[in-house]
Amino acid sequence: MDDRPYFRPAALDSILTDAAELGFAMSCEDRTGSLLATLAASKPDGRMVELGTGVGAGAAWLLHGMRHDAHLISVEMDTARQTVATKHLGHDARVTFETADADTWLDTYDGPPLTLAYVDCRPGKFHRLDDLLDLLEPGGLYVVDDLLPQPTWPSDHQPRVDRFLVQLPEHTNLLGTATTWASGLLVGARI
């Protein structure tokens, strides 16, 4: 079976070209993106967050699946990376780009409960998972990637991933499934 997506967001190739020029090699891969688009499509009128915009590849996939009445907040602390995302996706009224540290965003978010959270940074994954889960509505989806070794990982990163996976059962308000598919994913639902 060929599990590559049969669709791609229109802006994705341009985003990845700019990412290469910037030297950014950590964009979500196409199979992960395709799943993100599918999950976003399952949340009509959804309120979604992406922690760790990077250059906007994940946001492009999420927007590809979102309906016109859904909204995405995408949070990134690196302004050069966020600039690439806003250049290609900032015209879309369904997305708000926030240049902030994810820890700070978790401390200050005071909007309605979220229907989907895609986490591609340390806060909300390796620490402060409970804080993020508290922001999800019951049934809200929680998605993380990069749980399988990546060439971009620093040498001390594998123990973080191992601790995260071992500690997942301690979060009794999350029912999740870890997979060795794509870059290594966890898809969960707040219960």
Side-chain angles (χ1 to χ4, degrees):
M1 177 176 84
D2 182 356
D3 65 353
R4 291 174 295 180
Y6 60 88
F7 58 89
R8 292 183 90 219
L12 187 60
D13 288 335
S14 298
I15 289 169
L16 295 177
T17 297
D18 285 358
E21 289 175 11
L22 192 62
F24 182 77
M26 297 183 289
S27 294
C28 85
E29 61 116 64
D30 283 359
R31 291 176 300 166
T32 299
S34 177
L35 180 63
L36 289 173
T38 302
L39 296 174
S42 77
K43 298 296 182 183
D45 193 28
R47 295 164 313 282
M48 303 173 206
V49 68
E50 174 186 38
L51 296 181
T53 308
V55 294
W61 283 104
L62 287 162
L63 289 165
H64 188 79
M66 288 168 47
R67 287 187 10 176
H68 70 282
D69 53 353
H71 188 76
L72 170 66
I73 300 168
S74 189
V75 181
E76 173 63 49
M77 67 180 184
D78 185 294
T79 56
R81 294 175 189 166
Q82 190 78 290
T83 297
V84 173
T86 58
K87 170 184 169 184
H88 296 285
L89 304 171
H91 64 280
D92 193 321
R94 298 172 300 162
V95 62
T96 301
F97 289 102
E98 295 190 16
T99 304
D101 176 83
D103 279 312
T104 301
W105 187 87
L106 286 166
D107 289 337
T108 59
Y109 179 74
D110 63 354
L114 301 165
T115 58
L116 184 149
Y118 169 51
V119 183
D120 200 9
C121 64
R122 292 179 186 176
K125 185 190 306 188
F126 301 129
H127 65 275
R128 305 209 48 196
L129 174 55
D130 285 326
D131 293 333
L132 179 57
L133 292 176
D134 286 345
L135 299 178
L136 285 173
E137 68 183 21
L141 297 175
Y142 172 75
V143 183
V144 299
D145 66 348
D146 299 336
L147 297 176
L148 292 175
Q150 304 294 310
T152 55
W153 280 9
S155 60
D156 64 343
H157 191 66
Q158 185 67 54
R160 264 186 222 102
V161 172
D162 295 342
R163 271 191 309 278
F164 171 75
L165 293 171
V166 165
Q167 293 172 353
L168 276 173
E170 297 171 14
H171 302 278
T172 58
N173 59 344
L174 178 68
L175 180 61
T177 301
T179 72
T180 57
W181 180 75
S183 64
L185 305 174
L186 174 84
V187 178
R190 183 176 183 266
I191 53 174

